[in-house]
Amino acid sequence: MLLIGLIAAASLPGFVQIPGGEHRPFYPPSPEQVLLPVQAFGMDITPVTNQEFLDFLQREPSWQDPPIILAEGRYLQSWASPTDLGALDPGAPVTDVSWHAARAYCQDRGGDLPTVTQWEFAADATQTQATGARQDPATLSLILDWYALQGSPGPVRQRSPNLHGLYDMHGLIWEWTLDFNSQLISSDAREAGDQDRVRFCGAGALDASDPEDYASFMRFAYRSSLTANATTSNLGFRCAYSR
Amino acid sequence: MLLSVLLSCVTKTVEIPTALAAESRTTGGSAAGDLGAPVGDPVRAVLTHAPQVPPPTGRTEPAKVIVELEVEEKVMPISEGVDYTFWTFGGEVPGEFIRIRQGDTVEFHLQNHPDSKMPHNIDLHAVSGPGGGAASSFTAPGHESQFTFKALNAGIYVYHCATAPVGMHVANGMYGLILVEPPEGLPPVDREYYVMQGDFYTVGKYHEKGLQPFDMQKAIEENATYVVFNGSEGSLVGDKALHAEVGDTVRLFVGNGGPNLVSSFHVIGEIFDKVYTEGGSFAQENVQTTLIPAGGATMVEYHVEAPGTYILVDHSIFRAFNKGALGMMKVEGDAQLEIYSGKEVDSVYLAEKAASRQSIVTASAELAAGEVSKEAQIAAGSSLFAGTCSTCHQGNGAGIPAVFPPLAGSDFLNADPERAISVVLNGLSGPVTVNGDDFNSVMPPMSNLNDDEVANILTYVYDSWDNAGHQVTAQQVAAVRSGTDRPAGAPH
């Protein structure tokens, strides 16, 4: 598995092939589905950078100034203009991008945003194991430390990659997922067990597979607060590819 | 039915006027809390940062009140040299104080700053409805939510964030108080203050410098690194102490954000004339220490008779002296010696720290024989120090940051042994700089100690904790003592 990852990283710069497997979701869709099958897929090894997104905007000028319904007013607010990064680090991940804009970028590249399951599966790899990041104290403290950091994100690829060869899955930015709003957790995190299961699939905090996994709680809570035109200064993305 | 039968049996045999009193003193609760539709133009609520409290609403009719509260994630000191990323309602911990009147209709706007990493919401315990507003106020970074509620129950209520993981949001400081005045308002007092306790969990140990991240494991184990009032150690000491004048009636709104610990709230040197236990509508009287649950609040009132410094503590006392739960109220005015003579020693703590007196006996015997060795002085001084001085300066001489100056490696102490003798005998109040840190509190005179006791204590202190090693003799102490004027009747 490690070998495949290395070959993929070497032969296809920019993205790697993630072997399929089984994923233990943080919010199981039903009590029976504690393990979900994951098909092999490709994924960018880093979040999309400011430079890469600038290149995209030059190819696709329609995304330089999208309507509010596709990207709210703070879209690319830290850029000097939609065609000028200004003082921003070109190698830092692009943030302040909406789901629509991120998705357009990925589709332009022949891919799409990763699903929550794909993203969480890929992010659960440690440097040496395909799963276990969610229980790994070093990963958890990296994530919790990140929450305490202020200021804009630094450049990508400053830390070691995980087993799949993916950089910065944790500790740099939040990342968009294709179905960020499909696993709704309740907007009041304490409700659980007495809601409409059809509308709120896997809803409340008490349904979580591991209540001590604060980092996952925060990711799911964060995603559920978003709308597709939302842009925030800590939210970027990377693309996934099904081949 | 059965209960009423039982009660009527009891009332026949024993008079229990309290039962009748309890029946007659009721507010009617939320069922009687709706005072009608809002009257007049909407008003914007005055919000204040702790320890300040907004002025009384002064309204006699229900109003529509607009509250705007902004959530901001922000690095601030939790102790001197120790930073923490707080999540705040209004930029400080605790969150801004909201004051409304029963029957008011509150249009609540929750804004989440665009730079926030997390979504947030608010659960106000003053709301009647599922989640207390939490489900209606879930707000992504850079967004604003609005919801409206009618305040049906008077009282002092906690509000807090209820976004997953709830414990972490609360542990990072996301709580504050909302006061719902009863229709007739609260009885007027001279001063009102806002104090809120919280427990904090950092990766580094207590006083480890630098930016300290949240420690999830310690939080789950309820093993607090800091327990503080108003968001940081020292937030209510020195220049930031609460203030009152002799003769004032003071009302404290005291909340406890938790997330874990229950507060045994006590003001050293005061008795609460009234405690609105758990923030309820009827006061208990003459209370020393009141319990404030996590996610609860109380109102206490007391009349101050004697000038001086009153120490606010969580009387789970290691939290006060080893985790930061310590504040001050400074009361100015003329002394009333018939009420209080002026000493500031709490004998409970002395009893805990009373050590063997044998070394003191040895040193006294040597002194009587004409010659006391430095070793005997140090041994005697060590026992005396543990009994008298360590209450404030701590057993390790480190003091309490911003409150009690250190004796360990103290430049102020080592510079001048004669001044040190004078400080022990005469006390020291007002600003003083020790090892570069400013202190402004009160050390009472210890002139009740005799000359050889003072000499032994100081010799012990000078011999300890990298201090200069001076030996202080009883003769030196006697000389300083005889050169000091004292009021008639004071111990010499």
Side-chain angles (χ1 to χ4, degrees):
Chain A
M1 192 147 60
L2 176 63
L3 194 63
I4 295 165
L6 285 175
I7 291 167
S11 59
L12 293 167
F15 73 96
V16 290
Q17 197 70 14
I18 314 284
E22 284 187 319
H23 178 59
R24 184 179 299 276
F26 185 63
Y27 286 111
S30 74
E32 293 75 37
Q33 292 175 274
V34 293
L35 286 176
L36 297 180
V38 181
Q39 303 300 318
F41 62 100
M43 196 176 217
D44 287 342
I45 63 170
T46 72
V48 174
T49 64
N50 284 318
Q51 183 63 51
E52 288 168 328
F53 202 74
L54 176 64
D55 295 343
F56 166 68
L57 291 186
Q58 281 163 349
R59 282 199 308 280
E60 292 289 340
S62 64
W63 283 101
Q64 291 177 9
D65 187 20
I68 291 287
I69 196 169
L70 298 182
E72 63 186 6
R74 286 187 314 275
Y75 181 66
L76 302 178
Q77 64 170 354
S78 52
W79 291 32
S81 80
T83 52
D84 180 5
L85 295 179
L88 277 186
D89 183 345
V94 65
T95 57
D96 287 319
V97 286
S98 68
W99 178 84
H100 294 291
R103 198 166 181 218
Y105 176 99
C106 290
Q107 289 175 337
D108 180 65
R109 300 241 306 165
D112 206 333
L113 289 169
T115 64
V116 169
T117 302
Q118 285 174 328
W119 195 96
E120 290 286 329
F121 176 74
D124 198 31
T126 66
Q127 286 182 35
T128 53
Q129 304 287 326
T131 60
R134 272 158 45 189
Q135 287 80 38
D136 175 36
T139 307
L140 288 176
S141 72
L142 170 72
I143 294 170
L144 292 175
D145 290 358
W146 173 66
Y147 295 137
L149 288 178
Q150 305 230 295
S152 51
V156 302
R157 290 186 84 145
Q158 300 301 300
R159 289 192 201 85
S160 303
N162 72 11
L163 179 75
H164 304 306
L166 301 170
Y167 292 84
D168 303 313
M169 293 300 283
H170 302 290
L172 190 63
I173 51 166
W174 298 110
E175 295 185 15
W176 278 112
T177 49
L178 184 64
D179 51 346
F180 67 95
N181 57 0
S182 67
Q183 270 173 305
L184 283 175
I185 76 166
S186 163
S187 48
D188 182 347
R190 303 155 300 180
E191 300 173 356
D194 67 342
Q195 352 204 357
D196 186 334
R197 293 277 175 172
V198 180
R199 284 179 54 220
F200 297 92
C201 42
L206 296 179
D207 298 337
S209 59
D210 181 0
E212 291 196 10
D213 183 359
Y214 275 37
S216 293
F217 265 128
M218 295 166 84
R219 277 198 302 280
F220 281 87
Y222 181 82
R223 287 177 190 136
S224 68
S225 78
L226 297 171
T227 53
N229 69 340
T231 69
T232 90
S233 53
N234 292 296
L235 177 58
F237 69 102
R238 73 180 76 207
C239 307
Y241 311 89
S242 46
R243 292 281 159 94
Chain B
M1 189 59 157
L2 179 61
L3 187 66
S4 64
V5 169
L6 284 173
L7 278 175
S8 62
C9 288
V10 172
T11 45
K12 275 174 192 165
T13 52
V14 188
E15 278 190 44
I16 43 167
T18 47
L20 293 170
E23 204 173 321
S24 63
R25 53 165 217 177
T26 174
T27 62
S30 59
D34 190 342
L35 305 179
V39 175
D41 292 333
V43 294
R44 192 166 289 270
V46 178
L47 305 183
T48 58
H49 291 297
Q52 303 307 322
V53 175
T57 63
R59 288 194 293 273
T60 54
E61 292 181 301
K64 179 170 183 179
V65 182
I66 296 166
V67 176
E68 287 189 9
L69 199 54
E70 186 191 38
V71 174
E72 194 181 350
E73 301 170 3
K74 182 173 180 186
V75 175
M76 292 185 286
I78 191 169
S79 182
E80 200 174 309
V82 187
D83 286 333
Y84 188 79
T85 302
F86 292 92
W87 298 350
T88 73
F89 287 108
E92 291 186 13
V93 176
E96 287 175 297
F97 195 107
I98 305 165
R99 185 168 194 155
I100 57 172
R101 179 177 174 272
Q102 184 189 326
D104 282 349
T105 297
V106 179
E107 182 184 294
F108 205 99
H109 298 255
L110 188 72
Q111 301 150 344
N112 191 358
H113 194 281
D115 288 342
S116 293
K117 282 203 171 104
M118 299 299 301
H120 299 286
N121 62 6
I122 191 167
D123 167 355
L124 298 122
H125 290 180
V127 169
S128 302
S136 315
S137 60
F138 190 47
T139 309
H143 286 248
E144 173 178 326
S145 299
Q146 177 188 329
F147 65 99
T148 300
F149 69 95
K150 189 171 272 192
L152 300 178
N153 297 73
I156 179 78
Y157 296 96
V158 167
Y159 65 78
H160 64 92
C161 185
T163 299
V166 181
M168 184 175 179
H169 284 253
V170 174
N172 284 345
M174 297 202 76
Y175 42 75
L177 293 182
I178 176 169
L179 171 65
V180 183
E181 295 175 349
E184 69 280 11
L186 293 172
V189 293
D190 298 298
R191 293 170 197 281
E192 292 183 327
Y193 288 113
Y194 171 21
V195 177
M196 197 153 185
Q197 181 172 324
D199 30 301
F200 290 87
Y201 303 83
T202 64
V203 170
K205 61 183 192 298
Y206 177 66
H207 280 182
E208 197 168 313
K209 305 295 185 203
L211 179 65
Q212 290 295 332
F214 169 69
D215 190 314
M216 179 181 63
Q217 198 54 41
K218 283 183 188 166
I220 292 170
E221 290 165 2
E222 307 192 8
N223 174 21
T225 323
Y226 293 87
V227 182
V228 297
F229 295 125
N230 290 355
S232 68
E233 186 171 27
S235 67
L236 291 174
V237 304
D239 294 343
K240 291 177 278 183
L242 305 178
H243 174 81
E245 303 280 342
V246 167
D248 282 352
T249 297
V250 177
R251 176 183 291 135
L252 302 182
F253 298 97
V254 190
N256 182 10
N260 289 323
L261 302 181
V262 167
S263 176
S264 301
F265 185 71
H266 177 73
V267 177
I268 298 176
E270 263 304 339
I271 295 149
F272 303 136
D273 299 324
K274 287 186 181 177
V275 174
Y276 293 82
T277 311
E278 294 165 1
S281 295
F282 301 105
Q284 171 69 287
E285 296 195 346
N286 306 322
V287 175
Q288 58 191 313
T289 300
T290 190
L291 209 55
I292 310 175
T298 189
M299 290 189 291
V300 302
E301 294 172 12
Y302 51 90
H303 183 258
V304 281
E305 281 79 19
T309 302
Y310 295 81
I311 310 286
L312 285 59
V313 295
D314 179 341
H315 215 299
S316 295
I317 207 70
F318 275 98
R319 298 176 191 165
F321 291 102
N322 300 82
K323 296 189 174 186
L326 192 149
M328 288 179 171
M329 169 169 279
K330 291 188 176 173
V331 177
E332 292 176 6
D334 294 331
Q336 300 192 58
L337 295 178
E338 74 281 10
I339 292 174
Y340 189 64
S341 70
K343 272 191 199 171
E344 273 193 322
V345 175
D346 189 325
S347 63
V348 170
Y349 307 135
L350 296 183
E352 281 172 356
K353 297 199 174 182
S356 159
R357 312 288 290 182
Q358 184 54 45
S359 56
I360 302 164
V361 173
T362 305
S364 300
E366 285 190 26
L367 184 67
E371 186 70 27
V372 58
S373 67
K374 189 173 179 183
E375 287 66 37
Q377 273 197 291
I378 290 167
S382 169
S383 295
L384 290 162
F385 182 89
T388 302
C389 317
S390 68
T391 303
C392 298
H393 292 291
Q394 304 297 293
N396 61 2
I400 301 277
V403 185
F404 303 126
L407 300 177
S410 161
D411 56 0
F412 184 87
L413 175 78
N414 288 315
D416 187 347
E418 274 209 5
R419 177 173 63 186
I421 296 169
S422 171
V423 167
V424 175
L425 291 176
N426 303 320
L428 182 65
S429 58
V432 58
T433 303
V434 180
N435 294 348
D437 295 327
D438 293 330
F439 296 86
N440 187 1
S441 51
V442 177
M443 169 166 165
M446 295 291 170
S447 53
N448 53 318
L449 297 168
N450 66 31
D451 293 345
D452 61 309
E453 287 174 328
V454 174
N456 294 346
I457 289 170
L458 285 172
T459 300
Y460 162 72
V461 167
Y462 275 121
D463 183 67
S464 305
W465 318 306
D466 298 325
N467 283 331
H470 301 302
Q471 184 172 5
V472 177
T473 67
Q475 288 79 7
Q476 286 172 291
V477 178
V480 173
R481 193 192 295 268
S482 66
T484 308
D485 288 333
R486 265 172 226 295
H492 235 280

